Amino acid sequence: LVKTAELDPRQNYVMGFHPHGVLAVGAFVNFCTEATGFSTIFPGITPHLMMLSLWFRFPFFRDYLMSGGLVSSDRESAPCVLRKPEGGNMLAIVVGGAQEALDARPGSYTLVLKNRKGFVRVAIEHG
């Protein structure tokens, strides 16, 4: 995890993550644990990682996921995180999704965006 800019903790943010990889482990480690020191690098910002909505259908497991900062990747979840007026929230989206994970090849970085631009609309809608 590399800090490229100061983030104002009074604002909310959308962050794209690439590549997807196996089970998006890289995104999980960076945004749902303190393994890379996220809270030190971006003080006052609470990360929320979007995850396939299928996993949120299971009682108790859904609560476990949410306790780690994960949110469903359905259309209604992003505004819930980004509309909080006090700010300090960051929504991390693995932009290529499962399609990108299935196209992974050693030594290459293929970004899948053709029909996956909803994260741009979300960012524009929420400033």
Side-chain angles (χ1 to χ4, degrees):
L1 193 59
V2 178
K3 184 176 189 175
T4 57
E6 293 293 327
L7 299 182
D8 182 355
R10 295 170 298 183
Q11 300 293 321
N12 292 314
Y13 299 92
V14 175
M15 182 180 288
F17 184 89
H18 170 76
H20 187 287
V22 178
L23 299 175
V25 172
F28 180 81
V29 167
N30 280 293
F31 303 119
C32 297
T33 74
E34 271 300 310
T36 58
F38 185 91
S39 65
T40 303
I41 298 170
F42 300 107
I45 305 293
T46 302
H48 302 276
L49 177 62
M50 294 195 97
M51 183 178 185
L52 190 63
S53 58
L54 162 81
W55 297 110
F56 290 86
R57 295 181 185 162
F58 304 102
F60 302 110
F61 187 60
R62 170 185 51 237
D63 299 307
Y64 175 70
L65 294 173
M66 291 171 64
S67 73
L70 292 154
V71 295
S72 174
S73 61
D74 58 15
R75 202 174 281 240
E76 295 83 20
S77 296
C80 288
V81 172
L82 298 172
R83 281 191 192 140
K84 294 181 179 178
E86 68 276 5
N89 294 290
M90 185 210 60
L91 185 65
I93 302 173
V94 184
V95 294
Q99 182 181 356
E100 185 176 280
L102 296 173
D103 198 27
R105 304 280 182 269
S108 72
Y109 291 97
T110 305
L111 180 60
V112 177
L113 285 179
K114 187 173 182 178
N115 293 316
R116 307 183 80 52
K117 298 178 195 113
F119 71 97
V120 175
R121 183 178 10 85
V122 167
I124 291 170
E125 287 173 355
H126 297 282

